[in-house]
Amino acid sequence: MSSPLSLPPVMAPVLTPFARDLSTDVERFVRLCRWLIGAGVALAVFGTTSEANSLATAEKLDLLDALAAAGIPGDRIVPGTGCCAFPDTVALTRAALAHGCAGVLMLPPFYYKNVSDDGLFASYAEVIERVGDARLRIYLYHIPPVAQVPLGVPLIERLLLRYPSTIAGIKDSGGDFAFTERLIRTFAPRGFAVYAGSETFLLPTLAAGGAGCISATANVNPAAMLSLARDWRASDAAARQEALDAVRQAFQKFPLVPALKAALARGTGDDGWRATRPPLVRLDDAARATLFAALPAGFLPPSIRPRRRGFSSAPRSARR
Amino acid sequence: MSSPLSLPPVMAPVLTPFARDLSTDVERFVRLCRWLIGAGVALAVFGTTSEANSLATAEKLDLLDALAAAGIPGDRIVPGTGCCAFPDTVALTRAALAHGCAGVLMLPPFYYKNVSDDGLFASYAEVIERVGDARLRIYLYHIPPVAQVPLGVPLIERLLLRYPSTIAGIKDSGGDFAFTERLIRTFAPRGFAVYAGSETFLLPTLAAGGAGCISATANVNPAAMLSLARDWRASDAAARQEALDAVRQAFQKFPLVPALKAALARGTGDDGWRATRPPLVRLDDAARATLFAALPAGFLPPSIRPRRRGFSSAPRSARR
């Protein structure tokens, strides 16, 4: 696995498309991944936005194989591999290494709540020891609003002390920038990459010395995020951050995954993108209308429709 | 699957034993299941106390096969089958039917929080429709302190309306007896079986018209629970409830699963029972000493050590 420095500062937790029978749709998945790679961002496949925990381990392994078969380079892929049961986490992490992935994003086991730091340390250690590969780079995944199992500074200290070359960074989806700053101040000097979990914090994260963001909205707005991340010292950076925020705020009025899928369906002309697995539910027509009206004028077509490679699977007649 | 009435009023969410390498220990598992069946309780294998979500689906399927191979009757088994990803839930539920299990205990998908009732309804409906078997009996699993995804009355109404013969009951581990009572009042007249999630509520649950309890502590105290459940109108019922409470309170001072495993290790003389999978951590020596001192005098040996069938795997020299 390559060092965090080789990864772009923006990663997309890639939306997972489903067929009518809710099986994973490999073809649509590869198309979206190619488009995102073309936009310059890395692929944090199997994240919260990807409905990863609504997929069986075998389904994730198949999707990873499909990316390799499609020639998508492993050094642009950081799959989420953290499951409740370590045999699943180990299997996915080994597969990520076999595919030459740049790293893995690893949730703690998230069923039990109020677990001890000893238990969380053991969870990560068990996987690291079983995988037993010096190339492994783990990005911890702190997302207390969803997993309800936070990762604190003392735990990260302990993991870094024991596995300094393996523990490569964190995605902080806690929504508390003071904590993000503290992570950066405490760990970034040791080469630990701190990614904000939302582009809302992209500029302040970069200004504080963080690595960038891994954000749901990167599925539909990758170029603008990457542009700010690469040029965050530019004089118009604050304005560009505001433009990102306007898009984010429109999506955040709705359940995020169904809203992003609705936008992708609209932008690509491929209504099949709307499908979610339960317990998530697709946006209804009224919500979609409100969402599209709330998005900044002209957002959808230029952001989502690809310029070069064919992206849409809509019939030719539906395209311009 | 048989009707809820054929099940005993107490079920044990069977502790899962692990070998030194943390693989599942089939031999110890079958021994404990036999002992619990001998004590008259049913086997709610793969519950929260079983560390079920720390097991891969294939491991659970193997354990279910082992119970069948050991001749443990399916009509005494109610496996937990609810996973985050419906393909796993469907696979486990189908296996439960193939083994003639009395029913299944089904968590909702528990990764996403604040999901809609539409999404929860769709989660259960998706599994029921895919399994497509009129013999299926589902006991819903309401455990908001852990899963953080509560199941409310309107959702249960809706499920019962659509699947009246499939939705057979609920395990209520919410810890709020007012809610348990409301479930009983609302749904028990329709044959819906309400099990308390702890024997703390056994007597009031039965008195209100509930079905019994499915409780962690049934792993180490099954006979006393069953005795109260069968005789709850007896004049000494309150005293027996108090005796159950005393045992429960001793265990509840500690993380419950490691404490129960420590007690089982002590009672059977088989220290291997102490092993847990991360993120749970085995009790240390000080905690064990405190636990054993807190248990009512004479609790461990007569409750856990089997009278007839060999239970302990400790060397003969270590037995009395």
Side-chain angles (χ1 to χ4, degrees):
Chain A
M1 296 194 172
S2 48
S3 92
L5 294 175
S6 74
L7 284 166
V10 176
M11 300 195 224
V14 184
L15 291 161
T16 305
F18 298 112
R20 272 171 202 275
D21 66 357
L22 294 187
S23 60
T24 53
D25 183 329
V26 174
E27 201 201 334
R28 278 193 184 100
F29 181 67
V30 169
R31 270 205 303 273
L32 176 57
C33 286
R34 280 205 172 113
W35 181 70
L36 290 166
I37 289 281
V41 301
L43 308 176
V45 297
F46 316 148
T48 298
T49 306
S50 317
E51 298 171 77
N53 289 308
S54 302
L55 306 177
T57 295
E59 293 177 308
K60 289 183 249 194
L61 293 171
D62 285 349
L63 288 175
L64 212 49
D65 285 348
L67 292 185
I72 292 178
D75 67 2
R76 301 287 96 175
I77 309 175
V78 180
T81 63
C83 301
C84 286
F86 73 70
D88 292 314
T89 307
V90 168
L92 285 164
T93 304
R94 281 186 181 144
L97 280 162
H99 284 301
C101 291
V104 299
L105 189 59
M106 203 180 283
L107 277 171
F110 53 84
Y111 182 65
Y112 295 103
K113 306 303 184 299
N114 306 310
V115 292
S116 65
D117 268 9
D118 282 355
L120 291 175
F121 180 85
S123 300
Y124 283 105
E126 196 66 46
V127 173
I128 294 168
E129 300 290 345
R130 281 171 193 261
V131 170
D133 192 317
R135 297 171 303 158
L136 179 61
R137 295 291 173 273
I138 293 176
Y139 296 88
L140 305 170
Y141 190 2
H142 173 68
I143 181 166
V146 183
Q148 307 267 357
V149 179
L151 306 176
V153 166
L155 172 71
I156 300 169
E157 277 285 9
R158 201 168 148 190
L159 284 167
L160 267 174
L161 195 67
R162 178 72 187 80
Y163 303 107
S165 62
T166 302
I167 303 297
I170 195 165
K171 174 182 178 184
D172 178 6
S173 295
D176 168 15
F177 187 68
F179 183 71
T180 311
E181 259 189 318
R182 188 173 165 215
L183 291 175
I184 294 169
R185 205 169 52 238
T186 313
F187 300 118
R190 287 178 247 175
F192 183 84
V194 178
Y195 292 88
S198 161
E199 74 276 23
T200 311
F201 304 110
L202 181 54
L203 189 51
T205 296
L206 291 163
C213 73
I214 305 175
S215 175
T217 335
N219 278 281
V220 296
N221 202 16
M225 283 187 206
L226 191 66
S227 162
L228 172 58
R230 295 228 188 269
D231 258 354
W232 64 270
R233 286 184 177 88
S235 57
D236 65 344
R240 288 206 235 170
Q241 177 70 58
E242 274 174 36
L244 292 181
D245 292 347
V247 171
R248 176 87 187 189
Q249 280 156 20
F251 282 104
Q252 283 198 161
K253 286 176 191 145
F254 303 90
L256 202 50
V257 177
L260 290 166
K261 285 189 152 180
L264 200 56
R266 166 89 164 226
T268 58
D270 173 7
D271 206 50
W273 265 109
R274 291 177 62 204
T276 59
R277 280 194 175 178
L280 302 187
V281 178
R282 63 174 69 194
L283 285 201
D284 62 23
D285 289 348
R288 282 194 299 156
T290 312
L291 167 64
F292 300 151
L295 285 169
F299 169 72
L300 280 176
S303 298
I304 295 188
R305 291 210 179 143
R307 307 237 165 99
R308 282 184 296 264
R309 280 185 199 261
F311 181 91
S312 171
S313 67
R316 241 164 220 296
S317 60
R319 298 189 204 160
R320 271 206 269 171
Chain B
M1 296 195 171
S2 47
S3 93
L5 293 175
S6 75
L7 283 167
V10 176
M11 299 196 225
V14 184
L15 290 162
T16 305
F18 298 112
R20 272 171 203 275
D21 65 356
L22 294 187
S23 61
T24 53
D25 183 329
V26 174
E27 202 201 334
R28 278 194 184 99
F29 182 67
V30 169
R31 268 204 303 274
L32 177 57
C33 286
R34 281 205 173 115
W35 182 70
L36 290 165
I37 289 281
V41 302
L43 308 176
V45 299
F46 315 148
T48 299
T49 306
S50 318
E51 299 171 76
N53 290 306
S54 302
L55 305 178
T57 295
E59 293 177 308
K60 289 182 250 192
L61 293 171
D62 285 350
L63 289 175
L64 212 49
D65 286 347
L67 292 185
I72 292 178
D75 67 3
R76 301 286 97 174
I77 309 175
V78 179
T81 63
C83 301
C84 287
F86 74 69
D88 292 314
T89 307
V90 168
L92 286 163
T93 303
R94 282 186 181 144
L97 280 162
H99 284 301
C101 291
V104 300
L105 189 59
M106 203 179 283
L107 278 171
F110 54 83
Y111 181 65
Y112 295 103
K113 305 304 184 297
N114 305 311
V115 291
S116 65
D117 269 8
D118 283 354
L120 291 173
F121 180 86
S123 299
Y124 283 105
E126 196 67 45
V127 172
I128 293 167
E129 300 289 346
R130 281 171 194 262
V131 170
D133 193 318
R135 296 171 303 158
L136 178 62
R137 296 291 173 272
I138 293 177
Y139 297 88
L140 305 170
Y141 191 2
H142 173 68
I143 180 166
V146 183
Q148 307 267 357
V149 179
L151 306 176
V153 167
L155 173 70
I156 300 169
E157 277 285 8
R158 201 168 148 189
L159 284 167
L160 268 174
L161 195 67
R162 178 71 187 80
Y163 303 107
S165 62
T166 302
I167 303 298
I170 195 165
K171 174 183 179 184
D172 177 7
S173 295
D176 169 14
F177 186 68
F179 184 70
T180 311
E181 258 189 318
R182 187 173 166 216
L183 291 176
I184 294 170
R185 206 170 49 239
T186 312
F187 301 118
R190 287 179 246 175
F192 183 84
V194 177
Y195 292 88
S198 162
E199 73 276 22
T200 312
F201 304 111
L202 181 55
L203 189 51
T205 296
L206 290 164
C213 74
I214 305 174
S215 175
T217 335
N219 278 281
V220 296
N221 202 16
M225 281 188 207
L226 192 65
S227 162
L228 172 58
R230 295 227 188 270
D231 258 354
W232 65 270
R233 286 185 177 89
S235 58
D236 65 344
R240 288 205 234 168
Q241 176 71 57
E242 274 174 35
L244 292 182
D245 293 348
V247 171
R248 177 86 188 190
Q249 279 156 20
F251 281 105
Q252 284 197 160
K253 287 176 191 143
F254 303 90
L256 201 51
V257 177
L260 289 166
K261 285 189 153 180
L264 200 55
R266 166 87 166 228
T268 58
D270 174 7
D271 207 49
W273 265 108
R274 291 177 61 204
T276 60
R277 280 193 175 178
L280 302 187
V281 178
R282 64 174 68 195
L283 286 202
D284 63 23
D285 290 347
R288 281 194 300 155
T290 311
L291 168 65
F292 299 151
L295 284 170
F299 170 72
L300 279 177
S303 299
I304 295 189
R305 288 209 180 147
R307 306 234 169 104
R308 282 183 297 261
R309 281 184 199 262
F311 182 91
S312 170
S313 68
R316 240 162 221 298
S317 60
R319 298 187 201 161
R320 269 207 267 173

